[in-house]
Amino acid sequence: LLYKMIDVKLKDGINLEEGCDEEEEEELLKVGEEKLRESPIGLINIRETCYFNVVLQVLFHITELTEYLSSKEALEKQEVDTKQMENRRTLIHEFTHTLKLYQNKKRIVSDEYYAYLNPKSLIYEFWNRKPFFLEMAQQDAHECFLALIDELHEAYANKKTFREYIEHILINEKRPDVHKKIKDYLKKGFEDLIKVEEKDKVPKKSVSLISNTFESITLSEIECMVCHNRYPTAQPCNAFSLTIYGNKKNQNESYTSNRLSQLNTDVKRYLEEEPQLFSSLFNWLGQHINSIIGNMSRFLYRIPSSLTLSSGSVKVTKSGKSDLKTLLKHYFVNIESLENDLSYHCEHCKQKRAATKKTRIVTLAPYLVFYVSRFKYNSSTNSVQKITDHIAFTDTIDMEPYFTIRNIAPKHSSYKLKAVIVHSGRSTSSGHYTCYIQTSNKWFYCNDSHVYEVQPSVVFSVNPDVLVYSRN
């Protein structure tokens, strides 16, 4: 049975159908058990759930997360009757229960060659908590990842003021030589939120092991081209959405990111004009932000199959080539121009001005998640386009060149590839997700219930949609 479950190659011509003696059978079972322990387990696909399966495969192989969720502290928190846990208790129980089965290799169903687990109860509870994922259609794995870790985060989070949060970050950084610089940047970046928080006298920031694992902080700085005043905004970030810049046309069509950037600047401006209104708004946004982002992305990235577009539902651009380093350079090093419709309302000039925007790293999390934004809405043609450019990536990346704030880059800023998620198909509402996971210094290909070992060369030849790196 183990032989059939794990697809171990026959040794020395042993054939189970012809039978084998007790010694050969014992040796085969030992090989099988060892193979089973080191290999990921497949997950059954129910109702177009490959997007959920790849997210579980990634999360189940993040050691810090799985160790915490299995710890006495986490298990005790599950039983505490807090509002944040009460609303999520069933989901958390199902997640930790599925994780335990996965780690212990129990309740495994087997067919002729593969072993797999059925996460049905967990998926149903996730759908209960996030009803906009409940469709008989493909969903976005990146959205699912953010939604699931947000649920885990909120369940185990402790509330802190932003001043306490800054001190918490400095403790985690463990680099006293740059603490003052980091603190100054964060105080400026969170200045508006600190004012609202101190006025309401209610802690606004949630902190948990999940945020400690995935949450990096960037500083988005806008500079007015007339008065040269600078407006920094600190932004906690669980995943970096990287835009493919194939040519000038692609750059100009970066519709979503530009519009959201403008929304961010407008909110900052109105915050001073209507502080009471936006205090209530921020409270509401804090509770519903993931649902909002999920539904916005469905409008901007995904067109339902029932909707007829004037120029067709989805267009696939010609394939080009790029690499992760180039995308990171665009994100962290290049300066974005805000002009015409995207002009910034300068508080000093009291009117809209041409401005520049740059994003800089303040702190990096132990795990970095890079999402390659391949789907975008083109307002001029009323269509969704998929960019199929091949993105090359490497086993390790050094993030030091992207610390554009001088002298705060850590000495050890190297990250190693942990997982790759790949989407095949023409749109996010169709197609199929698979992933590659590194464990026990080996790479495994996970295609729902089918899991098998592959060579590293196979992994680095694929065209990624999501890349997960862990700090060396």
Side-chain angles (χ1 to χ4, degrees):
L1 177 62
L2 277 172
Y3 168 78
K4 291 183 178 181
M5 287 164 59
I6 57 179
D7 195 19
V8 179
K9 291 183 178 179
L10 292 173
K11 291 183 63 178
D12 302 324
I14 296 174
N15 189 323
L16 289 183
E17 293 181 358
E18 296 177 358
C20 56
D21 60 34
E22 290 184 4
E23 290 185 3
E24 290 174 327
E25 185 176 352
E26 185 178 347
E27 179 184 356
L28 188 59
L29 288 174
K30 286 182 180 178
V31 174
E33 289 170 352
E34 181 62 31
K35 184 88 172 177
L36 186 61
R37 279 196 297 270
E38 68 181 25
S39 169
I41 294 300
L43 300 169
I44 293 177
N45 186 335
I46 55 172
R47 297 175 62 184
E48 308 281 354
T49 55
C50 58
Y51 70 93
F52 192 84
N53 288 345
V54 294
V55 171
L56 282 189
Q57 291 286 10
V58 172
L59 292 179
F60 284 174
H61 287 88
I62 292 179
T63 306
E64 293 85 343
L65 179 64
T66 57
E67 285 182 352
Y68 175 74
L69 294 178
S70 304
S71 68
K72 183 179 179 181
E73 177 188 349
L75 294 175
E76 288 176 350
K77 274 195 171 185
Q78 287 184 28
E79 307 307 322
V80 177
D81 291 325
T82 60
K83 185 177 180 180
Q84 64 193 57
M85 178 60 78
E86 181 181 353
N87 296 336
R88 301 175 176 85
R89 193 185 311 278
T90 307
L91 175 64
I92 300 304
H93 279 172
E94 290 296 343
F95 188 92
T96 53
H97 178 64
T98 306
L99 171 62
K100 186 176 180 180
L101 293 176
Y102 187 98
Q103 291 177 325
N104 294 339
K105 308 295 192 288
K106 291 182 179 179
R107 288 199 185 175
I108 294 171
V109 182
S110 65
D111 60 17
E112 186 176 358
Y113 295 107
Y114 300 99
Y116 45 83
L117 187 66
N118 190 344
K120 178 175 66 174
S121 298
L122 173 57
I123 294 174
Y124 284 160
E125 189 55 38
F126 176 73
W127 284 339
N128 287 335
R129 288 290 305 165
K130 301 293 182 181
F132 53 79
F133 281 96
L134 185 55
E135 300 174 11
M136 291 294 290
Q138 184 60 271
Q139 305 291 328
D140 188 282
H142 172 244
E143 292 176 20
C144 177
F145 171 81
L146 293 178
L148 189 51
I149 66 170
D150 178 68
E151 288 294 302
L152 294 171
H153 164 70
E154 289 298 334
Y156 294 103
N158 297 312
K159 288 291 184 181
K160 291 182 180 289
T161 66
F162 273 95
R163 294 188 186 278
E164 291 172 337
Y165 176 57
I166 292 171
E167 295 300 326
H168 174 78
I169 292 168
L170 298 180
I171 292 172
N172 287 344
E173 280 298 305
K174 298 177 182 178
R175 293 184 293 144
D177 56 315
V178 295
H179 277 188
K180 187 178 184 306
K181 291 182 180 180
I182 293 176
K183 188 173 184 178
D184 289 343
Y185 278 111
L186 293 180
K187 285 177 67 177
K188 291 178 182 177
F190 288 125
E191 183 178 5
D192 291 338
L193 293 174
I194 290 173
K195 287 179 181 178
V196 173
E197 184 179 68
E198 291 181 344
K199 183 177 180 180
D200 293 347
K201 297 181 180 179
V202 177
K204 303 287 186 181
K205 180 61 183 171
S206 299
V207 177
S208 71
L209 179 126
I210 288 81
S211 63
N212 290 346
T213 302
F214 295 106
E215 193 173 86
S216 301
I217 300 180
T218 61
L219 196 72
S220 176
E221 190 173 71
I222 295 177
E223 181 178 353
C224 174
M225 297 306 293
V226 177
C227 67
H228 296 289
N229 271 20
R230 297 181 178 181
Y231 303 96
T233 303
Q235 298 174 326
C237 180
N238 288 321
F240 298 99
S241 182
L242 306 179
T243 303
I244 300 174
Y245 292 99
N247 50 47
K248 187 173 182 180
K249 183 180 178 182
N250 281 349
Q251 261 185 316
N252 293 335
E253 289 176 354
S254 239
Y255 181 85
T256 307
S257 59
N258 287 339
R259 289 300 176 192
L260 291 179
S261 297
Q262 183 61 31
L263 175 63
N264 181 56
T265 57
D266 286 343
V267 167
K268 185 176 179 181
R269 171 165 60 89
Y270 287 122
L271 181 62
E272 288 192 355
E273 297 175 4
E274 300 287 346
Q276 292 182 341
L277 170 65
F278 274 84
S279 174
S280 301
L281 177 61
F282 275 119
N283 287 336
W284 183 84
L285 283 173
Q287 298 174 12
H288 301 282
I289 189 64
N290 281 296
S291 297
I292 294 169
I293 291 174
N295 286 293
M296 282 179 66
S297 64
R298 278 161 175 70
F299 172 73
L300 294 172
Y301 296 143
R302 186 180 309 164
I303 303 299
S305 57
S306 59
L307 181 63
T308 302
L309 300 177
S310 59
S311 57
S313 59
V314 177
K315 289 184 177 180
V316 181
T317 67
K318 296 293 183 181
S319 180
K321 290 185 179 181
S322 187
D323 56 56
L324 180 60
K325 288 183 178 180
T326 302
L327 301 190
L328 290 174
K329 182 180 178 182
H330 278 293
Y331 193 98
F332 292 115
V333 179
N334 288 10
I335 297 175
E336 179 183 356
S337 295
L338 303 178
E339 299 175 338
N340 302 323
D341 290 344
L342 297 177
S343 297
Y344 179 73
H345 189 279
C346 177
E347 297 172 12
H348 182 265
C349 299
K350 305 297 182 183
Q351 59 179 297
K352 283 194 170 185
R353 298 290 196 187
T356 59
K357 177 185 174 183
K358 55 186 175 182
T359 302
R360 308 195 281 182
I361 299 173
V362 181
T363 65
L364 285 178
Y367 285 82
L368 303 181
V369 179
F370 299 114
Y371 166 65
V372 181
S373 181
R374 294 187 178 277
F375 294 92
K376 58 187 179 182
Y377 174 67
N378 187 334
S379 57
S380 61
T381 61
N382 192 30
S383 65
V384 176
Q385 294 181 327
K386 179 177 181 179
I387 306 171
T388 61
D389 294 38
H390 184 85
I391 305 301
F393 56 99
T394 55
D395 185 45
T396 59
I397 56 170
D398 184 6
M399 295 299 293
E400 193 275 334
Y402 311 110
F403 274 86
T404 49
I405 300 176
R406 292 185 179 181
N407 303 322
I408 70 167
K411 293 180 180 179
H412 303 288
S413 52
S414 177
Y415 284 75
K416 185 173 178 61
L417 187 64
K418 183 73 176 177
V420 183
I421 295 176
V422 179
H423 176 265
S424 57
R426 295 173 63 85
S427 73
T428 52
S429 59
S430 63
H432 184 60
Y433 279 104
T434 57
C435 68
Y436 297 84
I437 302 291
Q438 188 186 51
T439 180
S440 304
N441 294 318
K442 297 178 181 179
W443 279 100
F444 293 88
Y445 174 63
C446 303
N447 182 4
D448 289 330
S449 55
H450 292 182
V451 175
Y452 51 86
E453 186 179 348
V454 295
Q455 294 299 314
S457 58
V458 174
V459 179
F460 295 104
S461 67
V462 302
N463 199 9
D465 285 76
V466 179
L467 294 163
V468 181
Y469 283 85
S470 62
R471 182 181 287 150
N472 272 345

